[in-house]
Amino acid sequence: MRSSGTTSVSLTGALAYGRQEITTDRTATVAGVVRLRAESKANAWSGRIEGGYRFVAQGFGWTPYAAGQLTTFDLPAYAEQAILGSNHPQRTWPSHRRVLCDDERGPDCAAAPPRRTTSTRTAASPLRSRHCRAHGPARGSYVLVPIIPNP
C-alpha cells in the first residue's frame, strides 16, 4: 500500500494547582449545647503528559498515544475548637497526603469527509473518535472508554 500522507510526533502537557479553604461548624448536645468549628486549607497539584505519533493517509488520521497523570492532595491537620460552651471532646486527625497515578493508552482517529460545495454550504466538520484503555488507582482495573469530542 502506498502512503500519500505525512507523519508527526506530538507531546503535550498540563499543570494545575487548586486550593480549598474549608470551614466546618457543628453543634453537639451531650451536656448542654456546644458549638465546634474547624478551619483548614487543602492543596491539590496535578500534572499530565501525553504523547503520540500521528499517521495520516488519504484524509484519515490515526494516532496511537499514551498519557500519564499524577495528582497530589495535601490535607492539613484537622482540629475542632469550641466557640460556644464547654471544652467538649473534639474531633482531630493528623495531616496526610494522597497521591494518585493514572495512565491511559489507545488510538485517536480522525477522518475528514469529502468537502461539499453548494451555494449555501461549503464544508463539513471532521469526524473524530478516541478510545482509550484507562488505568486507575486500583491496580489491575482497566476500562475501555470511547471518547467522542465535540464537533
Side-chain angles (χ1 to χ4, degrees):
M1 179 174 167
R2 199 173 88 152
S3 173
S4 62
T6 62
T7 59
S8 63
V9 175
S10 67
L11 183 66
T12 59
L15 296 173
Y17 170 74
R19 179 182 174 114
Q20 296 82 29
E21 295 187 8
I22 305 161
T23 302
T24 59
D25 287 310
R26 70 180 181 110
T27 303
T29 57
V30 175
V33 175
V34 178
R35 286 200 55 213
L36 300 165
R37 170 176 276 187
E39 294 179 355
S40 61
K41 295 176 177 78
N43 297 297
W45 291 274
S46 183
R48 178 180 171 90
I49 189 164
E50 180 176 318
Y53 193 83
R54 184 154 188 82
F55 299 95
V56 178
Q58 301 174 359
F60 178 77
W62 182 72
T63 307
Y65 77 97
Q69 181 170 310
L70 178 75
T71 304
T72 302
F73 297 102
D74 285 326
L75 301 172
Y78 180 88
E80 292 179 329
Q81 297 178 358
I83 57 173
L84 176 67
S86 65
N87 196 4
H88 183 269
Q90 303 147 357
R91 295 178 184 167
T92 61
W93 56 78
S95 64
H96 61 280
R97 173 178 281 183
R98 172 86 176 171
V99 178
L100 302 171
C101 298
D102 298 323
D103 67 280
E104 68 182 57
R105 54 197 166 273
D108 185 355
C109 304
R115 295 214 176 250
R116 294 180 300 176
T117 304
T118 64
S119 60
T120 58
R121 231 169 117 169
T122 59
S125 299
L127 302 173
R128 295 203 55 179
S129 172
R130 184 177 221 184
H131 286 71
C132 72
R133 183 176 172 173
H135 179 247
R139 293 290 166 211
S141 64
Y142 286 94
V143 64
L144 183 63
V145 181
I147 302 169
I148 301 171
N150 291 334

